[in-house]
C-alpha cells in the first residue's frame, strides 16, 4: 500500500529525517533551498501533509492554491506568525506547532544575551581575537552587575517564566507584563504590571518574550524606549519585528540605552547593518532553539502532529 506523502520543506536534523523517511514517503530537501511559493506548491502536489519551518510563508493566497490532498501543516517552531491559521482552518487543514520544545534552550540564550550585553561580550571577544589585549587594567571593559537590578519580562509564557527562573539566580528582581496575570503560585515573587508602559519604567533590563503579532509589531518604538530607564539593556529572543530598529539603534548610539543583546531581527538574515557597527550590541544568528536535543525534540513533535492527523486523531499540539 502506498505510504502517505509528507513534504519536509527544509533540511532537518538527521534523526528527524530518519523518522520521517521510516514512516512516510518523505519528500526531503537535502540542499536546504528555500522554496518560492510556486516551488512549494509544486513540491506539495499529491502530498498528505507538510512539515514546514518559519521560512515558509503560508499566506491565505498560498493556502487557497494548496492541493486538496493536504490534511496537516506542522511547523518546526513555536512561533506561527508565518501561517495564516484561519485560512488553513477554513480549508479543513489542521495546523500545529511545537510548543515547549525550545523553552529551556531559548531561556539560556536570553541569559547569554543579557550577560553578553551587560559584560561587553562583543568588545571583549574582538579585543582578544584581534590581539589588542595588552594586559589587565582596573578600568578595562567595565560592564554592569545584575544584582539589585530589575529585569522586565514582556511576555510571561513558558519562555518568559524560564528566563525569570534563571534570572533570579543572578540576583535580578523580576517584573513582568503579560496579557493575563499569572496565578500567585506561579509568580514566585515577580511583580505584575498591568501595562507595558508601567513595566518599561522599571526595566533596567528588558527581555522580550512575547509572540509576534500585528499588536506587538514595533512595540519597542520611540515612545517605549523613552520610558526605559537611562542606561537600560534590551534583550530580544522573540521576533525581530517587535523592535523599531532605527529607534533602538539611535538609543544605543546616543547612550540612552547601554547595550542590546539580539538573537532575532526584522528581515533575517538581512539585519539592519547599523547594528553591526555598534560596539554595544551582542548579536546572535537566531540561535534560540539551536541545540541538538531541542532541534530533535522539535522535529519529533512536528512529526507527532502529522502522525496523529494522518491516523485520524487530533494533533497533540494544535493551533
Ligand atoms: C520558534 O520556534 O519559533 C523559533 O524561533 C524557531 O527556531
Amino acid at each position: 500500500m502506498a505510504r502517505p506523502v509528507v513534504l519536509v520543506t527544509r533540511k532537518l536534523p538527521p534523526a528527524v529525517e530518519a523518522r520521517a523517511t521510516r514512516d512516510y514517503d518523505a519528500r526531503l530537501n537535502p540542499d536546504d533551498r528555500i522554496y518560492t511559493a510556486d516551488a512549494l506548491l509544486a513540491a506539495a502536489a499529491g502530498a498528505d501533509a507538510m512539515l514546514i519551518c518559519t521560512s515558509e510563508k503560508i499566506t491565505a493566497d498560498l493556502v487557497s492554491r494548496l492541493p486538496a490532498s493536504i490534511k496537516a501543516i506542522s511547523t518546526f517552531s513555536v512561533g506561527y506568525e508565518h501561517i495564516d491559521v484561519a485560512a488553513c482552518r477554513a480549508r479543513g487543514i489542521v495546523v500545529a506547532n511545537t510548543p515547549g520544545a525550545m523553552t529551556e534552550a531559548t531561556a539560556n540564550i536570553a541569559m547569554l544575551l543579557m550577560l553578553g550585553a551587560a559584560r561587553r561580550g562583543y568588545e571583549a571577544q574582538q579585543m582578544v581575537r584581534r590581539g589588542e589585549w595588552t594586559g589587565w587594567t582596573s578600568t578595562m571593559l567595565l560592564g554592569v552587575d545584575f544584582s539589585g537590578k530589575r529585569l522586565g519580562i514582556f511576555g510571561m509564557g513558558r519562555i518568559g517564566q524560564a528566563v525569570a527562573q534563571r534570572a533570579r539566580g543572578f540576583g535580578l528582581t523580576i517584573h513582568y507584563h503579560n496579557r493575563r496575570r499569572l496565578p500567585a503560585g506561579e509568580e514566585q515573587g515577580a511583580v505584575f504590571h498591568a501595562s507595558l508602559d508601567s513595566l518599561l519604567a522599571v526595566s533596567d533590563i528588558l527581555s522580550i518574550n512575547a509572540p509576534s503579532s500585528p499588536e506587538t509589531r514595533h512595540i519597542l518604538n520611540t515612545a517605549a524606549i523613552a520610558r526605559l530607564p537611562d542606561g537600560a539593556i534590551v534583550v530580544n529572543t522573540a521576533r525581530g519585528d517587535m523592535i523599531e530598529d532605527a529607534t533602538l539603534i539611535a538609543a544605543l548610539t546616543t547612550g540612552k540605552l547601554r547595550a542590546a543583546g539580539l538573537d532575532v531581527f526584522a528581515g533575517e538574515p538581512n539585519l539592519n547593518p547599523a547594528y553591526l557597527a555598534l560596539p554595544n550590541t551582542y548579536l546572535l544568528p537566531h540561535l534560540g532553539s539551536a541545540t541538538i536535543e531541542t532541534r530533535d525534540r522539535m522535529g519529533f513533535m512536528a512529526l507527532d502532529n502529522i502522525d496523529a492527523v494522518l491516523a485520524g486523531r487530533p494533533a497533540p499540539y494544535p493551533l
Side-chain angles (χ1 to χ4, degrees):
M1 200 178 90
R3 298 188 308 161
V5 176
V6 173
L7 172 65
V8 180
T9 60
R10 298 292 305 274
K11 185 167 174 53
L12 294 183
V16 178
E17 291 195 344
R19 177 172 145 184
T21 45
R22 181 196 68 192
D23 297 343
Y24 298 108
D25 179 356
R27 291 184 188 156
L28 303 181
N29 182 355
D31 301 329
D32 206 22
R33 64 192 183 281
I34 297 185
Y35 287 112
T36 61
D38 285 339
L40 183 65
L41 289 166
D48 296 278
M50 291 170 28
L51 199 171
I52 66 164
C53 293
T54 54
S55 41
E56 283 66 65
K57 308 299 171 212
I58 309 298
T59 61
D61 174 58
L62 187 129
V63 172
S64 72
R65 295 155 66 205
L66 279 175
S69 54
I70 297 286
K71 298 169 195 66
I73 298 179
S74 185
T75 183
F76 183 89
S77 64
V78 65
Y80 55 91
E81 69 287 342
H82 52 299
I83 307 175
D84 191 323
V85 177
C88 292
R89 282 200 195 119
R91 274 207 59 183
I93 298 170
V94 176
V95 190
N97 67 345
T98 63
M102 68 292 295
T103 302
E104 305 287 311
T106 306
N108 289 346
I109 285 288
M111 296 314 297
L112 176 62
L113 292 176
M114 251 179 248
L115 287 165
R119 300 299 298 274
R120 304 177 65 172
Y122 168 64
E123 292 167 277
Q125 283 283 302
Q126 264 196 327
M127 181 185 276
V128 174
R129 289 174 189 275
R130 287 182 180 167
E132 292 168 356
W133 182 33
T134 53
W136 186 92
T137 81
S138 69
T139 52
M140 188 185 81
L141 288 180
L142 299 184
V144 287
D145 282 341
F146 280 172
S147 197
K149 300 235 165 40
R150 300 160 297 181
L151 170 65
I153 299 179
F154 172 49
M156 201 58 151
R158 288 186 187 87
I159 296 173
Q161 291 178 52
V163 171
Q165 183 197 33
R166 285 155 177 71
R168 282 186 194 99
F170 283 88
L172 286 156
T173 309
I174 313 299
H175 294 250
Y176 74 101
H177 170 63
N178 200 39
R179 271 169 305 189
R180 280 183 306 276
R181 183 170 183 168
L182 295 182
E186 289 171 30
E187 278 187 330
Q188 300 191 26
V191 180
F192 174 68
H193 292 256
S195 72
L196 177 60
D197 283 357
S198 162
L199 178 76
L200 291 168
V202 301
S203 296
D204 299 313
I205 303 174
L206 177 73
S207 176
I208 302 180
N209 296 106
S212 165
S213 69
E215 293 74 43
T216 59
R217 186 179 149 74
H218 284 179
I219 198 138
L220 201 65
N221 53 23
T222 307
I225 288 181
R227 282 191 191 94
L228 286 167
D230 290 345
I233 290 171
V234 169
V235 164
N236 190 6
T237 50
R239 286 291 185 263
D241 67 355
M242 295 161 79
I243 291 180
E244 218 171 63
D245 285 330
T247 310
L248 178 58
I249 288 162
L252 290 166
T253 306
T254 60
K256 159 68 185 168
L257 297 182
R258 176 178 298 278
L262 307 173
D263 184 45
V264 287
F265 302 89
E268 289 175 17
N270 303 312
L271 63 157
N272 187 317
Y275 281 124
L276 306 179
L278 288 170
N280 50 348
T281 54
Y282 190 81
L283 311 175
L284 297 176
H286 202 145
L287 290 185
S289 61
T291 70
I292 295 164
E293 298 88 342
T294 297
R295 289 279 162 86
D296 280 353
R297 192 160 45 240
M298 290 165 73
F300 296 150
M301 286 171 73
L303 283 171
D304 289 345
N305 286 321
I306 291 174
D307 292 350
V309 175
L310 296 189
R313 291 182 273 110
Y317 315 107
L319 287 169

